[in-house]
Amino acid sequence: MTETDTDTGLVVLTNREPYVHDAPNDVTKPVGGLTAAMDDVMREIGGTWVAHGHGRADFDVTDSDGYVTVPPDDGQYSLKRLDIPDQPYEGYYYGYSNQVLWPLCHEHVDRIRASPDDWTAYTAVNEQFAGAALDALARQDDDTALLWVHDYHLALVPELVRRQTDGDVTIQHFWHIPWPPAQLFDRSPHAAALLTGLLGNDRIGFHTHGYAQEFLATVERTLPDAEVDTDALQVTHEGRTVEVYVAPVGIDTQTVDNLAESPEAERFWRDLREREGIAPDERIAVSVDRLDYTKGILQRLDAVEHLLERDDSLRGSFRLLQKGSPTREQIPEYERYQRDIFEKIRHLNDRFGTEEWQPVVYLDGRYTRAEISSLYRNADVCIVSPLADGYNLVAQEYVAANQSASGALVLSKFAGVHTLIGDDAFTINPHDTAGFAAQIEAALDAPKTERAERFQRMYEQVAASDIGAWMEHSLGQWSR
Ligand code: F6P
């Protein structure tokens, strides 16, 4: 696409925006899989994206309806940043979305903090998004418009929009996080309202068959008047049939590979080695996470401690580079988790570190994609150890960036992406500290040919299930 194509008929709705405008002529990209994946899609096909504006909207140069073209230096699609007042936004995002739905779907029931006000806020913000979606749809020339809603923040939107359209819009949803077991979801006092909201869609997508089946089981359990067909992956509810589909999200493998090879990446790695005093023969493990309790970072540090206790030859010759990005810091659980991680890293470094060498280096700050790719490219091992994770892009990016360097991936069996590349990764259960440590060691010690063979097979899987395949699965029928 060479010029801005904003009325392709596609309207995308997400909580987070793809570009945050912090200062005049200065936008940054947020950390997180969803926005990265969808930005690739939107650059490719154009359309309109509606999201909450996190930055300074007054720096935007918008049209008279408040739409701006992005990326800023190369406008390829249209973005509407919603101005949502702090209240209800905080109750919707920090409250209901991330202290009820997030822990519920990741099976951390003990971390759920529910307040009636947060549900009210969630409903109000979903109504605001639905109104904005209707405005954006009204700007489309196309009479085959598609509204594509994303994630758990916006579960009520599909039904709210459907009520106000006369059936000429296709509505679909992609659920980026796990769908938990039916008996768990059913505990939510709003289970029926959330499901009714989602059944306003024509199609609902999940990363894995497991999540899709749990969703169907939840509908069956919670909405007795719905008819569920688990073979055809369909629900019939209030006279309409809703299709459930499975489409794991992928990455743009070629771009990641190119970034990992770029001069920026090489420079970054050289400087990092020098700054941290990394010896040429030191073996490097890398992890890249938002500092979220679902990512299993404390379990990973326990495993590293166990490994260093057991095998003292690794002291001085192995280290973990942990890139972290603070997230959702206004939530006490996240603040505590972040503190616990830093404390644990300090403990490990005090216990095993020397003047020249520290077992764990915490990497702070905002990194470009090239810099992250350079970590992947140069690591002997990448450790991805979530306790639960919808799919996981880090594992895929590592495979794409490290292909020719023949690394090894240590991967939790609880990451959705384990269904794709689990056979060739070094699989771990993050709760099993000794087993986890043994797998890190196995990954480090595997013969070069074995590592290369495993990597080649993982690369083939990741490349075949890339962002293009996700788009085709998700948009194929509509775009044809
Ligand atoms: O996958 C769930 C998700 O909400 C994605 O939207 C995003 O990749 C990530 O978690 C980041 O979350 P947040 O937008 O809350 O920073």
Side-chain angles (χ1 to χ4, degrees):
M1 205 177 65
T2 48
E3 56 188 46
T4 313
D5 206 348
T6 57
D7 57 2
T8 57
L10 175 62
V11 174
V12 164
L13 244 59
T14 66
N15 169 64
R16 197 168 280 286
E17 61 179 313
Y19 297 92
V20 182
H21 211 160
D22 292 323
N25 309 317
D26 181 14
V27 288
T28 49
K29 296 181 89 171
V31 182
L34 190 165
T35 47
M38 278 312 296
D39 184 47
D40 286 347
V41 171
M42 294 298 278
R43 279 163 176 254
E44 171 83 21
I45 56 179
T48 300
W49 185 329
V50 179
H52 168 55
H54 291 81
R56 293 277 309 273
D58 50 329
F59 294 137
D60 287 346
V61 182
T62 63
D63 68 13
S64 56
D65 293 331
Y67 292 79
V68 61
T69 51
V70 287
D73 49 351
D74 177 25
Q76 306 213 25
Y77 62 92
S78 178
L79 173 68
K80 171 75 179 241
R81 294 183 169 106
L82 289 187
D83 183 11
I84 306 175
D86 288 353
Q87 239 0 304
Y89 188 79
E90 292 191 359
Y92 144 87
Y93 176 77
Y94 292 109
Y96 201 79
S97 298
N98 286 314
Q99 291 193 79
V100 178
L101 287 175
W102 180 270
L104 179 70
C105 290
H106 290 85
E107 301 183 49
H108 285 263
V109 183
D110 55 328
R111 297 191 202 247
I112 294 177
R113 304 281 176 271
S115 103
D117 290 347
D118 291 347
W119 172 248
T120 308
Y122 185 83
T123 309
V125 174
N126 271 252
E127 280 164 1
Q128 187 173 343
F129 266 98
L134 288 163
D135 289 344
L137 287 165
R139 287 163 54 101
Q140 308 303 313
D141 294 339
D142 210 307
D143 57 2
T144 55
L146 175 71
L147 173 63
W148 192 4
V149 185
H150 288 265
D151 237 344
Y152 58 104
H153 315 87
L154 303 174
L156 306 180
V157 167
E159 207 259 333
L160 290 168
V161 171
R162 180 162 303 281
R163 261 196 245 153
Q164 296 180 63
T165 50
D166 45 17
D168 51 352
V169 178
T170 303
I171 310 175
Q172 71 175 37
H173 210 111
F174 197 85
W175 193 263
H176 290 261
I177 63 175
W179 191 276
Q183 69 275 21
L184 201 66
F185 197 87
D186 195 34
R187 290 196 200 176
S188 158
H190 308 113
L194 292 161
L195 291 173
T196 306
L198 286 170
L199 292 178
N201 283 294
D202 294 288
R203 306 175 75 214
I204 309 175
F206 295 94
H207 291 298
T208 70
H209 282 280
Y211 304 150
Q213 287 300 341
E214 287 301 346
F215 173 76
L216 293 171
T218 308
V219 173
E220 194 154 44
R221 184 182 179 109
T222 309
L223 299 179
D225 56 338
E227 241 175 75
V228 173
D229 183 335
T230 48
D231 295 326
L233 300 183
Q234 284 179 345
V235 178
T236 306
H237 180 63
E238 294 180 352
R240 291 180 46 254
T241 297
V242 182
E243 196 193 309
V244 170
Y245 72 101
V246 178
V249 72
I251 58 162
D252 178 348
T253 40
Q254 197 51 55
T255 300
V256 175
D257 192 25
N258 294 345
L259 284 169
E261 276 196 325
S262 65
E264 182 188 350
E266 277 176 29
R267 210 169 31 246
F268 173 78
W269 182 248
R270 236 188 358 258
D271 293 350
L272 180 73
R273 288 189 77 117
E274 211 176 289
R275 195 178 71 225
E276 300 300 334
I278 299 174
D281 55 350
E282 243 184 85
R283 290 187 295 169
I284 300 296
V286 76
S287 288
V288 177
D289 310 271
R290 284 185 307 107
L291 300 180
D292 192 299
Y293 54 79
T294 61
K295 301 291 182 188
I297 303 169
L298 290 174
Q299 286 76 1
R300 178 185 312 153
L301 294 169
D302 283 344
V304 168
E305 181 164 26
H306 190 77
L307 185 62
L308 294 170
E309 262 166 20
R310 235 181 38 171
D311 183 353
D312 55 15
S313 76
L314 290 174
R315 298 183 201 168
S317 67
F318 160 83
R319 63 174 111 186
L320 170 65
L321 303 182
Q322 172 68 58
K323 171 74 187 83
S325 305
T327 183
R328 305 174 191 168
E329 287 170 284
Q330 292 189 31
I331 299 175
E333 290 282 328
Y334 282 81
E335 207 205 327
R336 241 189 323 272
Y337 190 66
Q338 198 171 310
R339 252 200 333 263
D340 291 350
I341 290 169
F342 294 147
E343 212 164 277
K344 180 80 193 181
I345 292 178
R346 249 192 317 273
H347 160 77
L348 274 172
N349 287 342
D350 285 349
R351 182 169 174 200
F352 299 107
T354 60
E355 291 235 321
E356 299 78 43
W357 171 85
Q358 303 267 282
V360 184
V361 176
Y362 181 78
L363 301 172
D364 211 356
R366 279 198 178 149
Y367 280 24
T368 63
R369 284 180 84 187
E371 291 168 345
I372 295 284
S373 305
S374 104
L375 295 177
Y376 296 144
R377 175 68 138 222
N378 291 288
D380 298 288
V381 171
C382 177
I383 309 177
V384 179
S385 56
L387 310 179
D389 200 342
Y391 206 57
N392 192 282
L393 294 180
V394 169
Q396 297 184 75
E397 287 184 355
Y398 176 64
V399 169
N402 195 280
Q403 204 214 136
S404 45
S406 113
L409 176 66
V410 174
L411 180 62
S412 163
K413 63 181 185 175
F414 306 126
V417 73
H418 193 265
T419 55
L420 183 75
I421 48 177
D423 286 351
D424 289 299
F426 290 81
T427 296
I428 52 134
N429 174 346
H431 303 292
D432 169 13
T433 307
F436 190 165
Q439 284 293 70
I440 299 176
E441 200 162 34
L444 286 169
D445 293 346
K448 215 172 165 199
T449 45
E450 181 191 333
R451 288 157 66 96
E453 279 166 21
R454 285 179 182 242
F455 228 87
Q456 184 54 33
R457 288 192 293 264
M458 288 195 292
Y459 183 78
E460 281 161 17
Q461 300 288 353
V462 170
S465 173
D466 67 355
I467 188 76
W470 186 61
M471 247 166 77
E472 177 60 27
H473 257 113
S474 301
L475 299 174
Q477 256 177 339
W478 169 78
S479 57
R480 270 196 288 271

